[in-house]
Amino acid sequence: MQLRLYDTLMRSKRLFEPLDPARVRMYVCGPTVYDFAHIGNARPVIVFDVLFRLLRHLYGPERVVYARNITDVDDKIIARATEEHPGLPLNEAIRIVTEATDRQFHEDVEALGCLPPTIEPRATGHIPEMRALIERLIGDGHAYVAADHVLFAVGSMPEYGMLSKRSLDDMLAGARVDVAPYKRDPMDFVLWKPSKPGEPSWPSPAGIAVEGRPGWHIECSAMAWKHLGETFDIHGGGIDLVFPHHENEIAQSRCAFHTPIMARTWMHNGFLQVEGEKMSKSLGNFITIRDLRAEWPGDVIRFQMLMTHYRQPIDWTRSATEQAAQALEGFRQVITTAQARDGRLSTPVLEALADDLNTPQAIVELHRLAAEARRGNFHAACDLRSTCRFLGLTLAGDSLQDIRKRQRGDIDEAHIAALIDARTKARAARNFAESDRIRDELGAMGVVLKDSKEGTTWEIAG
Ligand code: AMP
Ligand code: ZN
């Protein structure tokens, strides 16, 4: 099976060939840990988890190295720590914020069925590598020291802008706002900056006398280098990272190592919006993974994410969540009814994934397997079970009815049973006005009745 992936750098889908098939290497930009992760942050985590699973299947689990970093030094972290723990020394406050956020993030993504990456490097554990990279760049004339900062000289790299395909004019227009006076060129970006009093600080590179801290972009170049080498196979993240973050990572790594590439394939997931609007705190439609998990099992959230191709924008809606929950309930029922065991991975599903992670097509195939299983094909039920698990969907949790009951919280089953009993009696007495009234009363409570020869059962409507 041939894996084809869309490469942002080439703007085309290309055959994926690892630099070294015995060590397939992927780097994905992970979270900045200062608050609960939102559902948009979950998108790259889930998308690249599917790719990780596919690579492990294609090349062997022990041959794939997946590094997803944790940014644990950053302006937003410092601001949050100052705000939440004003009485504490800043370093202590930062430790509390990052440790708690780190733990929440891991609980959340585990619940979404994501495997732990092979390595999760932390920025603060890679300061010596960052310093070494910075000194190489200065030594080769790609970076300079100014006012205790180190800046990357964008003009020293003729191919700067290749990933984002921005024209120099566009980039300049963006960079001209508030240009720091020490920059030689408005587009030059920070590799290292002096720390303000109380901020986390480390000995600076290049003989700068005051202590400082790294810029964001250099973190990823350093961590990727340490764990994956000077060049590697896949670099991923959300589409918002193309410029400037990934453009700058490429500039740093290629100039430091004199390589024609940093990563062979650059992959970017599309953005997530909520009910047709940009997700933002001010609009009040900011959904954390934690909030969603309180309502829905991780399986449902993961499935909903995979219903849209990773490069498309995704509109996160309540009705899509319902659709995901119903699809999974259908799979769960067919697997349970057939008492399915382990089967084979569906080849059409694998083929869909190998075509630039076409998860919507993979889902079409899952529905096809489920339909076959419903017609009594036991092997299809077994294959469905195994293929869902391969995709990180456990199908092991509660039934949709139990989920809805939990969501409603106020369901009084005894009261419903009494109403149904009264309705049955009314019907027996041919008092249809009364029996209809009771059905409507139940309907207003979101309870739907199903009459059969065996009697009347009820469900909570979606
Ligand atoms: P951050 O913690 O903001 O650096 O983001 C971590 C990852 O989540 C990055 O790969 C971002 O590109 C991605 N990301 C952030 N917001 C969204 C969103 N609304 N939709 C999709 N991806 C996002
Ligand atoms: Zn990064």
Side-chain angles (χ1 to χ4, degrees), residues 423-436:
R423 175 175 171 266
T424 308
K425 287 190 179 123
R427 273 161 51 115
R430 306 191 67 79
N431 183 352
F432 296 117
E434 174 64 0
S435 74
D436 285 353

Side-chain angles (χ1 to χ4, degrees), residues 29 220 245 249:
C29 294
C220 285
H245 186 51
E249 281 190 41

Side-chain angles (χ1 to χ4, degrees), residues 328-344:
L328 282 176
E329 175 64 10
F331 297 169
R332 198 190 62 78
Q333 280 180 9
V334 80
I335 286 170
T336 314
T337 313
Q339 295 184 308
R341 298 191 296 261
D342 283 341
R344 286 173 313 184

Side-chain angles (χ1 to χ4, degrees), residues 26 28-31 38-52 66 68 105 109 114 236-241 267-272 305 310 357:
M26 171 163 79
V28 173
C29 294
H38 59 66
I39 184 67
N41 298 133
R43 194 170 191 196
V45 180
I46 293 174
V47 163
F48 291 102
D49 178 67
V50 172
L51 181 55
F52 182 39
Y66 171 22
R68 186 184 63 213
F105 175 74
V109 298
C114 299
I239 190 86
D240 57 319
L241 300 186
M267 293 178 69
H268 295 96
N269 62 269
F271 236 51
L272 177 146
M305 198 69 87
Y310 78 92
L357 298 187

Side-chain angles (χ1 to χ4, degrees), residues 27-30 69 216-217 219-221 235-236 241 245-246 249:
Y27 186 94
V28 173
C29 294
N69 73 292
W216 173 34
H217 316 301
E219 295 178 3
C220 285
S221 281
H235 195 315
L241 300 186
H245 186 51
H246 289 167
E249 281 190 41

Side-chain angles (χ1 to χ4, degrees), residues 92-169:
E92 177 68 3
I94 288 175
R95 195 182 55 75
I96 295 172
V97 168
T98 54
E99 277 182 11
T101 312
D102 192 297
R103 199 177 50 246
Q104 290 153 5
F105 175 74
H106 285 101
E107 286 165 6
D108 283 346
V109 298
E110 191 191 326
L112 299 181
C114 299
L115 300 172
T118 325
I119 321 164
E120 279 195 278
R122 271 148 225 271
T124 51
H126 296 75
I127 304 289
E129 287 80 5
M130 296 180 208
R131 269 201 305 261
L133 266 183
I134 290 172
E135 283 177 351
R136 278 186 190 215
L137 290 169
I138 296 174
D140 288 347
H142 289 294
Y144 59 95
V145 178
D148 295 332
H149 291 67
V150 183
L151 293 128
F152 186 92
V154 165
S156 74
M157 195 209 189
E159 285 159 306
Y160 188 80
M162 263 194 36
L163 181 71
S164 53
K165 308 261 189 303
R166 294 195 170 203
S167 75
L168 214 56
D169 285 347

